[in-house]
Amino acid sequence: MSIAEFFIHVNDNWMLMGLCIVLSIFIYFIAFKPYWKSVLDPLSFMILGSCMGCAVVLFLHFAKLMDNIYFFSYCTTQLCFYFGFRYGYKNKLKFILRNERHIKDINQFTKYVFISAAIIDFFSQMIQYKMMGIPIFMSSRLNMMADAGGAGILTRFISICRAFTIIMGFYYMQKNNSAPLLRKFAIFYLIYVVITCILSGSRGSVLIFGTAFFYYVVAFRETYSKLNSYLSKYEFKILFVLAFLTIAVNILKFGNLSTGIEMLGVRILSFGDTYYYAYPNNLIEQVDDSQPFKSIFSSFLGFFRIYSYSELPNPIGLDLFNFFSKNGDIGGPNARHNIVAYLYFGLFGGLLFSYILGWATGYFRKLFFKTRHKTLLGIAVSAWLYGAACGIETDINLYFFKLNSFIIAVPIIIVLAFILFVLAKMRQRIISRQPGILTH
């Protein structure tokens, strides 16, 4: 079912859709209330997407637009994901990041990680604008990246750099945490990121500031006792500002306020787009399911040239999209774990797949909340791992893409930071040896 057909059904049965949304909210409220911390928690965005997806499935089921076997598959895989999440959150496994405080001069080195990541981000973004143009003024951002060639790697560097720099920017923009020059650099960098988020044309890009603020509060809640009260006081105001920026992006893209607000509502309900694409008319049965390993790990296999991209299967969402669009555009829904589980592992084999994904999400959540890091670098890494894990339910392929990007980008950031760190040490030694200069 195409997006136009789905919203025609919603318009004709809007009361049913409303009841399904209320029922879904009630289910998710009961299930995730013990784990909910803040509206800015990445888990909240995962819950929102999953909840709206559930509402779409309930609507399709009660409107008799899908077969019962798909409803059964959705419910069972969703339950397995949930119980996997609960068990993963309760596990007692240790993680090496607990020992990052033993690295000599780690706090000084972290400053250069921030500076290096900010520099790489800036130049990657400027080169991408030069090569591809500014996304918000283009008809299709996805088409732009599909034709990007080697420039596509710049997106990887930008996303990974910002996973570190925004949290670190919040830290260094405070007077007690940095020298005046570094503080000004952090402030100007954060303003730069806001501008590029708007120019990206992505309605969800500005949310990185909300989640970064949440990470910062959780990480330093014991050091700065007032942070928790700041979170509860300002989180809805921050969410309002982020929603305003998202609507502003829509206005720039669509030309007027009413359409901007309307498209925000459509975007929220479209968290369940993979279900109304795949389940009605048994369309999921027509998607190629012959290469599950290549499909799930396509990001690794393609980037490292284990297989050429021409040998790898299309993303599930793109295959579903192509059933309705013949104009050559790149698009399609995210392949949520329920769809991947059923397509590649069957009605019962998919249960284990969904459970494992839920366990990983719960584990990385506990890693971030329970591990008491002593350094800003450890906080940033564990926050990235947790944030990425909250996307596992939405799209396992996208999660591995993020993981692959992390493996590619972080060594380059660390090498540049090490070079700057060594140069700074050498400069200090030269200055200290000059007569008449006192150092502390």
Side-chain angles (χ1 to χ4, degrees):
M1 179 185 295
S2 69
I3 184 172
E5 292 176 289
F6 172 73
F7 279 100
I8 288 174
H9 284 290
V10 170
N11 186 63
D12 292 341
N13 299 276
W14 61 270
M15 289 188 64
L16 175 61
M17 185 76 253
L19 289 173
C20 290
I21 291 174
V22 171
L23 177 58
S24 182
I25 291 174
F26 175 76
I27 293 171
Y28 274 79
F29 176 80
I30 297 298
F32 284 97
K33 183 181 178 181
Y35 307 99
W36 189 83
K37 301 291 184 182
S38 164
V39 294
L40 300 178
D41 186 345
L43 185 70
S44 297
F45 300 118
M46 186 196 85
I47 292 171
L48 172 63
S50 188
C51 179
M52 291 300 101
C54 178
V56 168
V57 172
L58 291 173
F59 176 81
L60 294 173
H61 174 68
F62 291 129
K64 301 187 183 303
L65 297 172
M66 61 183 285
D67 288 351
N68 289 333
I69 188 172
Y70 302 128
F71 185 68
F72 175 81
S73 173
Y74 169 82
C75 292
T76 52
T77 51
Q78 203 63 22
L79 283 171
C80 285
F81 182 93
Y82 174 71
F83 286 113
F85 171 85
R86 290 186 57 175
Y87 185 76
Y89 188 73
K90 292 179 180 179
N91 80 83
K92 298 180 179 180
L93 295 177
K94 305 291 183 181
F95 197 80
I96 194 170
L97 282 176
R98 291 176 64 89
N99 299 316
E100 89 280 347
R101 64 186 180 275
H102 299 305
I103 302 174
K104 187 178 181 181
D105 294 329
I106 187 65
N107 291 327
Q108 188 70 14
F109 179 71
T110 300
K111 294 180 183 179
Y112 293 101
V113 171
F114 169 64
I115 294 170
S116 299
I119 292 171
I120 293 172
D121 174 5
F122 177 79
F123 282 102
S124 296
Q125 187 70 80
M126 293 304 106
I127 293 170
Q128 191 178 79
Y129 285 161
K130 177 69 174 178
M131 296 177 66
M132 309 303 302
I134 298 176
I136 196 171
F137 302 119
M138 297 182 175
S139 59
S140 173
R141 292 181 297 110
L142 294 176
N143 281 348
M144 179 193 79
M145 296 314 301
D147 300 329
I153 196 173
L154 297 174
T155 301
R156 296 176 182 261
F157 282 108
I158 293 167
S159 63
I160 297 302
C161 286
R162 291 179 188 177
F164 292 91
T165 51
I166 297 178
I167 299 174
M168 292 179 175
F170 287 159
Y171 181 83
Y172 289 127
M173 68 186 291
Q174 299 184 61
K175 292 183 179 180
N176 296 333
N177 297 332
S178 64
L181 184 60
L182 181 59
R183 184 166 65 253
K184 291 178 181 178
F185 178 83
I187 293 171
F188 280 115
Y189 172 77
L190 292 175
I191 294 172
Y192 149 79
V193 175
V194 171
I195 295 171
T196 58
C197 285
I198 294 174
L199 293 179
S200 73
S202 172
R203 292 177 286 274
S205 61
V206 292
L207 294 176
I208 58 176
F209 285 94
T211 55
F213 179 69
F214 171 78
Y215 295 146
Y216 187 83
V217 170
V218 171
F220 292 99
R221 63 189 182 279
E222 294 180 355
T223 306
Y224 306 107
S225 57
K226 293 183 178 180
L227 278 179
N228 276 326
S229 62
Y230 287 159
L231 180 62
S232 59
K233 182 178 180 179
Y234 292 111
E235 61 179 350
F236 284 100
K237 294 180 181 178
I238 292 172
L239 193 66
F240 174 80
V241 171
L242 294 176
F244 174 79
L245 289 174
T246 303
I247 293 172
V249 171
N250 281 341
I251 293 172
L252 288 173
K253 192 169 184 178
F254 299 106
N256 60 76
L257 176 62
S258 61
T259 304
I261 296 174
E262 180 183 338
M263 291 308 297
L264 177 61
V266 170
R267 177 65 187 89
I268 292 174
L269 196 57
S270 290
F271 279 118
D273 55 2
T274 187
Y275 303 124
Y276 63 69
Y277 270 96
Y279 288 154
N281 305 312
N282 305 336
L283 197 62
I284 190 173
E285 307 294 347
Q286 299 181 42
V287 177
D288 180 19
D289 62 354
S290 61
Q291 304 179 84
F293 178 82
K294 286 185 178 181
S295 176
I296 292 173
F297 296 100
S298 58
S299 178
F300 287 103
L301 299 175
F303 184 84
F304 292 106
R305 299 301 186 264
I306 298 172
Y307 291 94
S308 68
Y309 282 107
S310 61
E311 296 178 278
L312 296 172
N314 285 333
I316 295 172
L318 179 58
D319 275 347
L320 290 170
F321 180 77
N322 285 339
F323 285 119
F324 301 100
S325 176
K326 305 298 182 182
N327 60 8
D329 283 346
I330 303 297
N334 295 112
R336 289 186 169 272
H337 73 98
N338 323 85
I339 300 296
V340 178
Y342 176 83
L343 184 65
Y344 291 144
F345 304 105
L347 198 59
F348 298 105
L351 303 182
L352 177 61
F353 175 78
S354 293
Y355 180 88
I356 292 171
L357 299 189
W359 183 94
T361 305
Y363 170 70
F364 285 112
R365 177 175 174 79
K366 181 173 184 180
L367 169 67
F368 176 69
F369 275 91
K370 301 299 182 182
T371 303
R372 292 295 179 262
H373 301 291
K374 302 299 181 182
T375 73
L376 185 60
L377 185 59
I379 290 167
V381 172
S382 63
W384 182 87
L385 290 169
Y386 169 48
C390 285
I392 290 177
E393 185 196 22
T394 303
D395 194 328
I396 184 63
N397 297 80
L398 183 58
Y399 171 74
F400 282 122
F401 177 86
K402 292 179 179 179
L403 188 61
N404 192 24
S405 299
F406 188 87
I407 294 171
I408 295 164
V410 167
I412 296 175
I413 296 172
I414 297 299
V415 168
L416 180 57
F418 181 75
I419 292 172
L420 295 177
F421 176 72
V422 170
L423 290 175
K425 286 287 187 181
M426 292 173 61
R427 180 176 179 274
Q428 289 176 359
R429 290 177 183 176
I430 292 172
I431 293 175
S432 67
R433 290 173 182 172
Q434 293 180 6
I437 297 180
L438 297 177
T439 59
H440 300 277

